[in-house]
């Protein structure tokens, strides 16, 4: 029923009373994870909106501040190492320490892992342990199957505590891998605390510029599903190995989807 102000008395799944176009607002809310159409109670958010905000904020904090369950790493049979970071506060304050490993760790990697693989697979908690715990159990097997389907030689999978993206350069250089991929938890937002990204580089070496890296992001149930992501990452790595390039060096003319 239309109201005098042009709105309708049918309320969509939002906090806005008498929206002018309830159908359009409903479609917008369904297609966008942002906080749209939440409405107000006077000058303040509604109670439901405020409670949901606090819940999402708590999930985001937990994702950053908690550690990945060691049992998961054992179940996935990953070799565990740590960056130069010693504890969580230092990790947040010193990103540079999360990009490098000690000489002792490098020696341990060479002893525990195969040296000289085509592909080195790495996982790291990064800024969201929740992303690893939620996505890695499905993503890693799909990725390994995809790499095997491309007949690529994969080294010993590794888990890095307190890792930043560029730690894959140090590990890949030490293990003499042709290509490295790191599956890492991304900085959580108030819409998703479990988003994971895959960063890839051909010819890993310390100090490699960001432009040399390829990335597939937004991997989670509400974005790119982890099983599908595993196959997509494997296809991208196969392209990188074929053209011996990654990031901006892998031009659009080289990409399979352009052919």
């Amino acid at each position: 029923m239309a109201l005098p102000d042009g709105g309708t008395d049918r309320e969509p799944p939002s906090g806005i009373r008498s929206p002018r176009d309830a159908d359009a607002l409903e479609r917008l809310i369904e297609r966008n994870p942002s906080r749209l159409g939440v409405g107000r109670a006077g000058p303040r958010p509604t109670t439901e909106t405020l409670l949901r905000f606090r819940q999402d904020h708590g999930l985001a904090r937990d994702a950053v501040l908690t550690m990945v369950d060691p049992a998961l790493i054992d179940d996935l049979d990953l070799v565990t190492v740590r960056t130069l970071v010693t504890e969580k506060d230092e990790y947040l304050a010193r990103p540079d320490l999360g990009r490098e490993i000690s000489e002792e760790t490098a020696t341990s990697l060479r002893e525990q892992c195969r040296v000289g693989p085509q592909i080195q697979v790495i996982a790291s908690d990064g800024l969201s342990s929740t992303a690893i715990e939620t996505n890695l159990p499905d993503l890693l097997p799909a990725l390994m199957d995809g790499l095997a389907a491309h007949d690529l030689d994969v080294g010993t999978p590794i888990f890095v505590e307190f890792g930043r993206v560029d730690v894959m350069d140090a590990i890949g250089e030490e293990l003499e891998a042709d290509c490295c991929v790191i599956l890492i938890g991304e900085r959580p937002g108030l819409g998703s605390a479990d988003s994971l990204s895959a960063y890839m580089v051909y010819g890993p070496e310390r100090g490699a510029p960001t432009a040399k890296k390829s990335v597939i992001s937004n991997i989670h149930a509400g974005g790119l599903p982890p099983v599908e992501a595993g196959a997509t990452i494997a296809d991208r790595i196969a392209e990188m190995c074929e053209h011996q390039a990654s990031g901006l060096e892998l031009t659009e003319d080289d990409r399979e989807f352009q052919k």
Side-chain angles (χ1 to χ4, degrees):
M1 181 178 68
L3 299 178
D5 63 358
T8 175
D9 62 355
R10 184 171 73 80
E11 292 189 25
S14 73
I16 296 180
R17 297 184 60 83
S18 305
R20 186 173 296 276
D21 190 336
D23 291 333
L25 179 58
E26 186 172 343
R27 290 195 301 270
L28 185 62
I29 292 171
E30 289 176 350
R31 297 177 183 179
N32 195 309
S34 301
R35 300 173 192 277
L36 303 174
V38 295
R40 310 287 289 182
R44 299 177 178 83
T46 62
T47 299
E48 181 180 359
T49 297
L50 180 60
L51 292 177
R52 288 185 181 277
F53 178 88
R54 288 182 174 176
Q55 178 188 45
D56 290 343
H57 186 256
L59 292 172
R61 286 179 58 86
D62 287 346
V64 172
L65 297 177
T66 57
M67 302 290 289
V68 174
D69 186 352
L72 172 64
I73 307 306
D74 291 340
D75 289 344
L76 295 175
D77 196 24
L78 303 178
V79 171
T80 301
V81 296
R82 178 174 285 191
T83 63
L84 297 180
V85 176
T86 57
E87 46 86 27
K88 184 67 73 169
D89 286 344
E90 184 178 52
Y91 174 76
L92 297 175
R94 293 288 305 276
D96 57 310
L97 297 181
R99 302 183 184 115
E100 189 53 88
I101 56 176
S102 67
E103 183 55 43
E104 291 77 12
T105 297
T107 300
S108 176
L109 281 173
R110 290 190 291 268
E111 292 172 350
Q112 297 183 78
C113 303
R114 193 154 55 83
V115 176
Q118 276 185 289
I119 314 300
Q120 180 59 57
V121 176
I122 304 166
S124 181
D125 43 10
L127 287 166
S128 176
S129 61
T130 307
I132 292 295
E133 293 184 344
T134 302
N135 299 296
L136 199 61
D138 292 327
L139 172 57
L140 185 60
L143 172 59
M144 300 297 280
D145 288 346
L147 294 173
H150 284 290
D151 198 27
L152 292 170
D153 173 48
V154 183
T156 310
I158 296 168
F159 177 75
V160 182
E161 293 180 338
F162 300 129
R164 299 281 180 172
V165 171
D166 289 351
V167 73
M168 70 174 174
D169 297 326
I171 292 175
E173 184 178 284
E174 293 292 344
L175 294 179
E176 302 174 23
D178 292 341
C179 178
C180 259
V181 54
I182 185 168
L183 310 171
I184 190 166
E186 291 284 20
R187 180 180 290 104
L190 292 173
S192 174
D194 61 353
S195 184
L196 180 145
S197 287
Y199 291 84
M200 297 153 280
V201 64
Y202 188 85
E205 59 182 356
R206 289 174 171 87
T210 301
K212 190 177 179 181
K213 297 176 174 66
S214 299
V215 61
I216 296 173
S217 60
N218 201 36
I219 301 171
H220 60 98
L224 180 63
V227 172
E228 183 179 343
T232 302
I233 296 165
D235 290 344
R236 183 69 59 85
I237 291 174
E239 289 180 357
M240 291 164 52
C241 290
E242 178 184 356
H243 299 287
Q244 299 184 6
S246 56
L248 294 182
E249 294 177 356
L250 186 66
T251 67
E252 289 189 353
D253 290 339
D254 294 332
R255 295 297 313 284
E256 189 65 31
F257 69 81
Q258 295 285 338
K259 299 175 182 179

